[in-house]
Amino acid sequence: MPAVSKGDGMRGLAVFISDIRNCKSKEAEIKRINKELANIRSKFKGDKALDGYSKKKYVCKLLFIFLLGHDIDFGHMEAVNLLSSNKYTEKQIGYLFISVLVNSNSELIRLINNAIKNDLSSRNPTFMCLALHCIANVGSREMAEAFASEIPRILVAGDTMDSVKQSAALCLLRLYKTSPDLVLMGEWTSRVVHLLNDQHMGVVTAAISLITCLSQKNPDEFKTCVSLAVSRLSRIVSSASTDLQDYTYYFVPAPWLSCKLLRLLQCYPPPEDGAVKGRLVECLETILNKAQEPPKSKKVQHSNAKNAILFEAISLIIHYDSEPNLLVRACNQLGQFLQHRETNLRYLALESMCTLASSEFSHEAVKTHIETVINALKTERDVSVRQRAADLLYAMCDRSNAKQIVAEMLSYLETADYSIREEMVLKVAILAEKYAVDYSWYVDTILNLIRIAGDYVSEEVWYRVIQIVINRDDVQGYAAKTVFEALQAPACHENMVKVGGYILGEFGNLIAGDPRSSPLVQFNLLHSKFHLCSVPTRALLLSAYIKFINLFPETKATIQEVLRCDSQIRNSDVELQQRAVEYLKLSSIASTDVLATVLEEMPPFPERESSILAKLKKKKGPGAVSVTDLEDNKREGSELNGGGDRGVDTAAMAASNASTPSPSADLLGIRSSGPVGGAPASAGSLLVDVFSEAGPTAPSAAVNDDGFLSSAPPSEDPAPPLSEADELLNKFVCKNNGVLFENQLLQIGIKSEYRQNLGRMYLFYGNKTSVQFASFSTTVSCPGELQSHLNVQTKPVEPLVEGGAQIQQVLNIECLTDFSDAPLLNIKFRYGGALQNLTLKLPVTINKFFQPTEMASNDFFQRWKQLSQPQQEAQKIFKANHSMDTEVLKAKLLGLGAALLDNVDPNPENYVCAGVIQTKGQQVGCLLRLEPNAQAQMYRLTLRCSKDSVSRRLCELLAQQF
């Protein structure tokens, strides 16, 4: 790189920067900048014979102004002219300006490409590097099309200087990441791979980054790189720090290149050539040996570089999983890090050992560190390290240490961080089930789990223990005795009451012979918890009571008295009311034989995979997914005998005479969402609650002559929008009709039509139950600034919705100006006396007010160029979320509302659309270009609109549709 002489300093630029720094206020800064812009503009327009130095100085000032956050709309041509200069400093400033300010779709791109071609062919290494840096910085598809075939030639040419080769390799890597379909190596493949043998270490370091990226996409084409990478790695590992002085970092030879080589080898399986494999094993052993040597420096940089290579080598050993000796040595080395004073090293060691635990060769070696890991779980100050320790205990668990690990995890649960308790509970439940030989131990463990962390025990856990107890005759008596003792605690968790109610209702007779657990004692114990429980638990206990009548006829009178009391048969909850009435009638009129048939013991559950493991895999905690995935590779024996992914239905206890349900039966309804904010739906016909109170009326709002209510402010206690509200909204971006929302009680359908800036929407509310909805009201509100952007008027709805009926509501919508948020629809009604309250986002998005505009090709691209301001364009490159089917893409673009233009884009694979968004205040012209890449399964979406906020919003909406 040429030295910059003292005379190249730009005094005018230094003075301008000093003036800006001395400004006392924002206004003074803007005034000074405007003055300078006016001066530069006049110089560019007036003096046609500006010398290179002056152009460079003024372009530098424009660049500085842009970096301060101000828009620059001139000076681009002058920057392009600087590219033709033979002075390094002038050419450098020209390329810098272009890299920062010139848009990839600029009209100047052809001139820029010509200047770059001239520099690339000049054979001046300095100018070639500047040109390559500019291509990499801009990285546009247009530049890839122009230079993708030229750069590989420069890279492998024998007369190309080393510094240019480095720049060419990294420039090609950048183009490959942005436009992989345009960078085709073809004939250059073998010559690029042989850059790994280059004498210059900088060239090798740059080339390996390119080769690694290419190998990940096309491993077969670049498989010859394995032997060369092993050879180069061997030379580095066996060299002394003095052999590679220029590339030695704190006594570690070429650490970055070593890490890159090891990472490249992880793209391939172990080498098939015995000599290459032996050389690689020797390299890995040398790396492990060096880790044992005393450090050559006390500086942290030395240990960081040394450990970086070590961990990358261990990752390669784990990836191959074929060398028992190396795996055990790696495990022992990691075991030393478990007690290192550096927290990051302990974290990385635990994380790597989690993977090692899944290998049959190193599993036993990992188990030897169990005490250290348990100590880390108890004493580590960093929660992320404790999380990794728990993951490792879970991964190393087998039949020989299951009881110890489960006991330690249960002990830790009492003081564990709230953020990881639910995941810990799932892991304990899985381990207890998987490695239980003694089923009484399994029952004790789960009951302890509920006692210690009841709030974090999901339904899947207590469903599972009930399924296993029902399927195992030898544990039923012990389970009944244990749960009876657990319920005697003064305060026990509601999940314990659920398990106790179910097990005693089924198997209480097995412990009834002991006077301390006689039938009446069991019933009184359960009923003492009744008033403290939620509605679903009370429903389960009522089912347990009717089972008691069958098991213990002597309790019939006591239980009937409980069922007969007003708090049951006139309960405000329909489910409890119905159960009490039906169970009371059943116990009164049914004979003993009929009662015994209807209330017989639950049949065994079908054998299926545990649903707890599936839940843990879905858990979005740090490391949760990775560790459970490892479990798929480390199975010891079959699953514990037990049920599967089937809920335990409380109502089914009272109707077990039916045939055994199929494995897919959903007895508890756990696969469908329950009512929002209220009681669960009944399984059968519901009893109307005549004692329900009148619900709140809709908030008052102005009524126009047509009987429409203007949009009201949010009601006093609206529910927050549902968690899936945005997902439901996105489904309607490209369509106007469909089902907006559905649960067990309510279905909401939608049908809408739009013309210019006006729209009309029909909402259909369907009652899916057999009971009427009382006090039914809806409120549409526009939160925040949306009130001034959108006008929504609604017609009031009927306050009563009969069972199985549907009512309609009409909304009129007027778009005043562009907007980004969506109106909120709040729905309230009473179902069985319980207030239901839910809030959704109405699918009213800015694209609904599109008016399609037909254009010829020339008109489209002329308008495209006119919308060339950076703020007018929004662009997003993203992975395809759905199938890249041509007809589906066209249907979605047509559903968007703009006109889909045929034979406009030069590339027939691309899609272009044009339209105008109509608002009351203005019209916003919009052009769209969608470029699919089927090979990479990616899209590039570009929107240009006359208003920048519309470009951004449309880009956000559409990126989620494809």
Side-chain angles (χ1 to χ4, degrees):
M1 195 68 70
V4 180
S5 65
K6 188 175 181 182
D8 285 331
M10 292 173 280
R11 184 173 179 277
L13 175 64
V15 171
F16 174 61
I17 294 174
S18 177
D19 289 348
I20 293 296
R21 288 177 174 172
N22 292 330
C23 289
K24 302 297 184 184
S25 64
K26 186 70 174 174
E27 291 75 15
E29 178 184 309
I30 293 173
K31 184 177 179 181
R32 178 68 182 89
I33 287 172
N34 288 337
K35 178 182 176 182
E36 192 65 37
L37 287 174
N39 176 54
I40 297 172
R41 199 186 298 269
S42 66
K43 292 288 184 183
F44 283 167
K45 285 185 177 179
D47 192 349
K48 299 296 183 183
L50 274 178
D51 61 1
Y53 169 79
S54 299
K55 283 183 183 177
K56 176 184 71 172
K57 178 176 67 175
Y58 293 135
V59 167
C60 262
K61 287 183 178 181
L62 291 177
L63 188 56
F64 179 70
I65 292 170
F66 176 79
L67 295 177
L68 289 176
H70 301 272
D71 292 332
I72 299 298
D73 57 3
F74 69 99
H76 300 74
M77 195 63 204
E78 284 71 17
V80 173
N81 290 338
L82 286 174
L83 300 185
S84 59
S85 171
N86 288 323
K87 287 189 176 181
Y88 168 74
T89 54
E90 293 174 10
K91 191 181 288 284
Q92 181 196 34
I93 295 300
Y95 275 124
L96 182 59
F97 185 93
I98 287 164
S99 299
V100 174
L101 272 96
V102 173
N103 188 285
S104 60
N105 296 315
S106 170
E107 296 177 357
L108 299 173
I109 204 73
R110 186 173 296 175
L111 292 173
I112 296 169
N113 286 351
N114 287 335
I116 291 174
K117 283 180 182 177
N118 291 336
D119 283 336
L120 290 179
S121 59
S122 69
R123 313 312 296 173
N124 182 322
T126 304
F127 293 173
M128 292 177 76
C129 285
L130 284 175
L132 290 166
H133 295 168
C134 180
I135 296 171
N137 286 332
V138 176
S140 66
R141 189 173 182 83
E142 289 75 12
M143 284 197 170
E145 290 171 350
F147 302 110
S149 59
E150 175 71 9
I151 297 174
R153 185 186 61 78
I154 296 173
L155 176 61
V156 300
D159 58 346
T160 304
M161 291 190 65
D162 294 332
S163 60
V164 179
K165 283 185 179 181
Q166 294 179 65
S167 298
L170 296 177
C171 179
L172 199 59
L173 174 61
R174 161 73 167 159
L175 294 182
Y176 184 77
K177 287 183 175 179
T178 55
S179 305
D181 57 315
L182 297 178
V183 181
L184 304 174
M185 301 307 296
E187 58 182 305
W188 308 111
T189 300
S190 61
R191 297 177 70 181
V192 169
V193 168
H194 275 83
L195 288 173
L196 293 176
N197 276 336
D198 198 279
Q199 296 298 316
H200 194 277
M201 297 287 281
V203 173
V204 180
T205 305
I208 198 169
S209 297
L210 173 64
I211 294 169
T212 301
C213 187
L214 293 169
S215 299
Q216 289 169 348
K217 297 288 180 68
N218 306 293
D220 292 337
E221 290 183 29
F222 291 87
K223 61 184 178 182
T224 54
C225 70
V226 173
S227 59
L228 296 178
V230 171
S231 175
R232 173 64 77 170
L233 180 65
S234 176
R235 293 203 295 273
I236 295 172
V237 169
S238 60
S239 66
S241 58
T242 53
D243 297 340
L244 299 170
Q245 282 189 341
D246 292 341
Y247 289 88
T248 295
Y249 179 79
Y250 287 88
F251 303 102
V252 181
W256 284 275
L257 180 54
S258 299
C259 288
K260 286 175 180 286
L261 288 165
L262 291 164
R263 203 165 294 153
L264 171 61
L265 292 171
Q266 290 175 50
C267 298
Y268 292 93
E272 296 177 359
D273 187 315
V276 175
K277 186 175 182 181
R279 197 171 183 183
L280 178 56
V281 169
E282 186 181 334
C283 289
L284 295 172
E285 287 178 341
T286 304
I287 293 172
L288 291 173
N289 289 337
K290 284 187 176 182
Q292 300 290 338
E293 295 175 0
K296 296 179 181 178
S297 170
K298 292 184 178 179
K299 299 209 174 211
V300 69
Q301 291 92 335
H302 171 74
S303 60
N304 284 347
K306 192 174 172 182
N307 291 331
I309 298 172
L310 174 64
F311 276 104
E312 210 61 62
I314 290 174
S315 295
L316 181 61
I317 293 169
I318 295 171
H319 170 72
Y320 285 166
D321 194 21
S322 60
E323 296 291 330
N325 181 47
L326 287 178
L327 285 163
V328 172
R329 286 195 61 189
C331 180
N332 293 336
Q333 181 61 52
L334 292 173
Q336 294 178 21
F337 286 145
L338 292 179
Q339 294 178 310
H340 200 279
R341 59 186 178 83
E342 176 60 43
T343 305
N344 289 336
L345 277 179
R346 297 197 301 274
Y347 178 93
L348 290 171
L350 289 166
E351 187 174 48
S352 298
M353 289 184 80
C354 282
T355 316
L356 278 172
S358 66
S359 170
E360 59 179 320
F361 302 119
S362 55
H363 182 74
E364 290 300 321
V366 172
K367 284 167 55 179
T368 61
H369 301 284
I370 185 170
E371 296 300 333
T372 308
V373 179
I374 289 172
N375 186 57
L377 184 67
K378 294 177 178 178
T379 60
E380 278 289 349
R381 297 174 62 185
D382 191 313
V383 64
S384 61
V385 182
R386 293 199 297 274
Q387 170 80 62
R388 286 291 164 264
D391 290 343
L392 180 52
L393 284 174
Y394 176 75
M396 70 167 63
C397 188
D398 59 21
R399 295 198 187 281
S400 65
N401 58 18
K403 289 191 176 183
Q404 179 188 4
I405 287 177
V406 168
E408 293 293 349
M409 293 178 83
L410 277 173
S411 173
Y412 172 66
L413 254 180
E414 299 192 31
T415 57
D417 298 81
Y418 294 109
S419 59
I420 64 173
R421 281 196 180 186
E422 184 180 359
E423 188 179 332
M424 290 282 292
V425 166
L426 291 173
K427 287 177 176 175
V428 170
I430 290 169
L431 295 178
E433 176 185 342
K434 183 177 179 183
Y435 298 116
V437 178
D438 178 2
Y439 291 97
S440 59
W441 171 75
Y442 170 74
V443 171
D444 287 339
T445 300
I446 299 300
L447 293 184
N448 266 334
L449 198 60
I450 296 173
R451 178 183 60 80
I452 293 170
D455 288 338
Y456 299 90
V457 175
S458 61
E459 290 182 331
E460 286 84 355
V461 175
W462 72 265
Y463 290 167
R464 191 68 175 157
V465 68
I466 287 172
Q467 292 162 5
I468 289 171
V469 169
I470 286 175
N471 285 25
R472 304 286 308 184
D473 295 339
D474 55 339
V475 79
Q476 290 166 357
Y478 180 81
K481 177 175 179 293
T482 306
V483 81
F484 174 78
E485 293 171 352
L487 286 173
Q488 291 177 333
C492 58
H493 196 273
E494 188 168 335
N495 282 334
M496 185 73 78
V497 178
K498 291 176 182 177
V499 175
Y502 201 107
I503 290 179
L504 291 179
E506 290 290 335
F507 310 113
N509 59 311
L510 299 178
I511 60 170
D514 190 332
R516 293 171 296 180
S517 55
S518 64
L520 208 54
V521 172
Q522 290 183 43
F523 170 74
N524 289 332
L525 180 60
L526 283 177
H527 196 55
S528 67
K529 315 291 184 185
F530 186 89
H531 66 288
L532 301 172
C533 298
S534 63
V535 168
T537 307
R538 293 185 187 187
L540 186 148
L541 290 177
L542 289 178
S543 297
Y545 296 169
I546 190 67
K547 285 271 188 172
F548 269 38
I549 292 179
N550 177 49
L551 291 175
F552 315 117
E554 64 269 27
T555 62
K556 181 175 181 178
T558 305
I559 294 174
Q560 283 184 335
E561 190 63 33
V562 170
L563 295 175
R564 196 177 287 116
C565 67
D566 283 354
S567 62
Q568 303 301 339
I569 62 172
R570 296 191 180 184
N571 196 291
S572 60
D573 185 85
V574 177
E575 176 71 15
L576 294 180
Q577 182 186 127
Q578 180 178 347
R579 291 197 183 212
V581 171
E582 290 180 355
Y583 291 165
L584 179 61
K585 203 68 175 174
L586 179 66
S587 65
S588 302
I589 64 174
S591 66
T592 305
D593 292 341
V594 171
L595 205 61
T597 304
V598 173
L599 301 174
E600 67 180 355
E601 194 175 289
M602 282 289 286
F605 286 81
E607 301 293 335
R608 291 187 67 195
E609 182 187 4
S610 170
S611 61
I612 309 176
L613 188 61
K615 182 176 177 66
L616 182 59
K617 286 183 180 180
K618 293 177 185 176
K619 181 102 174 72
K620 300 295 183 186
V625 175
S626 61
V627 174
T628 52
D629 286 344
L630 295 175
E631 284 300 301
D632 296 336
N633 304 326
K634 181 173 70 74
R635 293 285 184 234
E636 288 191 25
S638 60
E639 292 280 346
L640 177 71
N641 290 335
D645 190 17
R646 187 178 68 145
V648 184
D649 183 24
T650 54
M653 291 173 63
S656 56
N657 62 315
S659 59
T660 303
S662 66
S664 60
D666 184 20
L667 301 181
L668 252 192
I670 58 174
R671 297 194 191 97
S672 57
S673 57
V676 180
S682 165
S685 61
L686 306 180
L687 299 178
V688 178
D689 181 12
V690 295
F691 299 104
S692 64
E693 300 173 359
T697 58
S700 59
V703 183
N704 65 16
D705 296 335
D706 296 327
F708 281 89
L709 301 170
S710 60
S711 59
S715 52
E716 294 179 1
D717 55 343
L722 298 178
S723 58
E724 64 268 30
D726 288 322
E727 181 182 346
L728 297 173
L729 176 73
N730 289 331
K731 290 181 180 178
F732 284 82
V733 170
C734 294
K735 67 177 184 177
N736 291 333
N737 307 327
V739 176
L740 176 62
F741 173 77
E742 186 171 11
N743 66 6
Q744 289 178 331
L745 304 181
L746 178 69
Q747 183 188 67
I748 303 175
I750 189 171
K751 183 177 181 182
S752 54
E753 54 187 5
Y754 295 86
R755 189 169 300 164
Q756 295 187 351
N757 71 314
L758 302 176
R760 173 162 287 189
M761 181 180 289
Y762 299 87
L763 294 173
F764 302 91
Y765 305 97
N767 184 346
K768 294 174 63 177
T769 73
S770 57
V771 177
Q772 75 173 193
F773 294 162
S775 307
F776 191 94
S777 67
T778 65
T779 308
V780 176
S781 60
C782 295
E785 295 180 356
L786 189 60
Q787 290 184 359
S788 59
H789 297 181
L790 206 63
N791 181 19
V792 183
Q793 296 179 336
T794 63
K795 273 198 172 181
V797 293
E798 294 294 329
L800 293 178
V801 185
E802 297 297 334
Q806 183 185 82
I807 61 172
Q808 174 184 304
Q809 184 178 28
V810 184
L811 281 68
N812 285 341
I813 304 163
E814 181 183 19
C815 179
L816 305 177
T817 182
D818 66 281
F819 60 95
S820 56
D821 293 330
L824 299 179
L825 172 66
N826 179 248
I827 303 160
K828 291 182 181 178
F829 59 95
R830 285 195 174 270
Y831 167 75
L835 177 65
Q836 311 293 320
N837 185 358
L838 63 99
T839 301
L840 303 167
K841 290 186 177 181
L842 277 179
V844 181
T845 48
I846 187 66
N847 65 289
K848 300 296 184 185
F849 302 95
F850 251 134
Q851 292 298 305
T853 304
E854 295 293 336
M855 283 186 177
S857 179
N858 292 338
D859 296 333
F860 179 89
F861 284 104
Q862 182 180 357
R863 180 60 178 153
W864 185 267
K865 291 176 181 177
Q866 290 172 353
L867 297 172
S868 60
Q869 296 296 326
Q871 65 270 20
Q872 293 176 327
E873 179 183 284
Q875 188 177 87
K876 194 165 189 178
I877 299 173
F878 54 95
K879 278 275 188 187
N881 298 316
H882 309 286
S883 171
M884 300 180 76
D885 183 79
T886 304
E887 296 304 316
V888 174
L889 287 176
K890 286 183 177 179
K892 287 187 176 181
L893 290 170
L894 288 170
L896 174 68
L900 181 60
L901 307 180
D902 294 325
N903 303 318
V904 170
D905 197 287
N907 185 344
E909 300 296 325
N910 294 345
Y911 302 87
V912 293
C913 300
V916 177
I917 288 181
Q918 303 276 355
T919 71
K920 186 177 181 181
Q922 66 179 135
Q923 296 181 341
V924 182
C926 300
L927 301 178
L928 178 150
R929 190 181 190 194
L930 181 67
E931 299 168 80
N933 183 337
Q935 181 182 354
Q937 288 291 298
M938 295 187 74
Y939 291 98
R940 177 164 68 175
L941 172 66
T942 309
L943 277 142
R944 290 191 177 183
C945 302
S946 55
K947 195 168 184 182
D948 55 347
S949 57
V950 176
S951 302
R952 292 193 300 270
R953 180 56 179 161
L954 285 175
C955 193
E956 292 170 2
L957 288 171
L958 287 177
Q960 302 174 51
Q961 302 302 311
F962 302 105

